[in-house]
Amino acid sequence: MKPISTDKAPAAIGPYSQAITFGNLVITSGQLPIDPATGQFPEGGIKEQTRQSLTNVKNILVEAGLDMSHVVKTTVFLADMGDFADMNAVYSEFFSQPYPARSAVAVKTLPKNALVEIEVIAER
């Protein structure tokens, strides 16, 4: 296992890595919609937060020498399943066919009261 780290995504604030390589896989930790330049959520709602979370994922994958086309599985955590359609609209901007497998689940609360958190598994 080898950790992946970039300053183009929020730094890990606990005992975890932004991502880990394991064999041919790159597994990211959940990415909150934090802009690494400001340490804040973007202005707006679920669309802006989804875009920031996926941008963070993308930047971690770039650090690992990959791009979003290498993603084979995503997990999307939503604070409100009512935001699914808006999240999905932005999500579709980051992926093309064949789309990765995906789970989307509603959770009671996300860290910092985020509206979304996204993690991925990518293959080299």
Side-chain angles (χ1 to χ4, degrees):
M1 291 191 320
K2 176 187 166 211
I4 302 294
S5 181
T6 178
D7 61 0
K8 294 181 180 173
I13 55 172
Y16 63 92
S17 300
Q18 287 176 328
I20 289 286
T21 62
F22 182 76
N24 289 334
L25 299 178
V26 174
I27 304 164
T28 72
S29 292
Q31 293 301 301
L32 291 171
I34 296 172
D35 181 335
T38 66
Q40 303 295 317
F41 292 155
E43 294 287 324
I46 188 65
K47 287 184 175 183
E48 293 78 11
Q49 287 196 21
T50 300
R51 187 168 287 107
Q52 185 64 59
S53 288
L54 287 169
T55 297
N56 293 341
V57 165
K58 179 180 170 183
N59 289 337
I60 292 168
L61 293 177
V62 167
E63 184 68 24
L66 305 177
D67 61 35
M68 297 299 267
S69 72
H70 292 93
V71 174
V72 296
K73 171 72 168 81
T74 66
T75 305
V76 178
F77 303 95
L78 291 167
D80 181 351
M81 197 53 81
D83 287 335
F84 182 85
D86 286 338
M87 175 281 298
N88 205 47
V90 174
Y91 180 97
S92 68
E93 296 170 11
F94 285 79
F95 297 101
S96 57
Q97 291 189 10
Y99 299 113
R102 179 178 74 184
S103 299
V105 295
V107 296
K108 184 175 179 178
T109 308
L110 288 166
K112 299 183 176 256
N113 292 315
L115 301 176
V116 64
E117 182 174 8
I118 301 172
E119 63 185 28
V120 307
I121 300 171
E123 184 179 32
R124 293 183 187 271

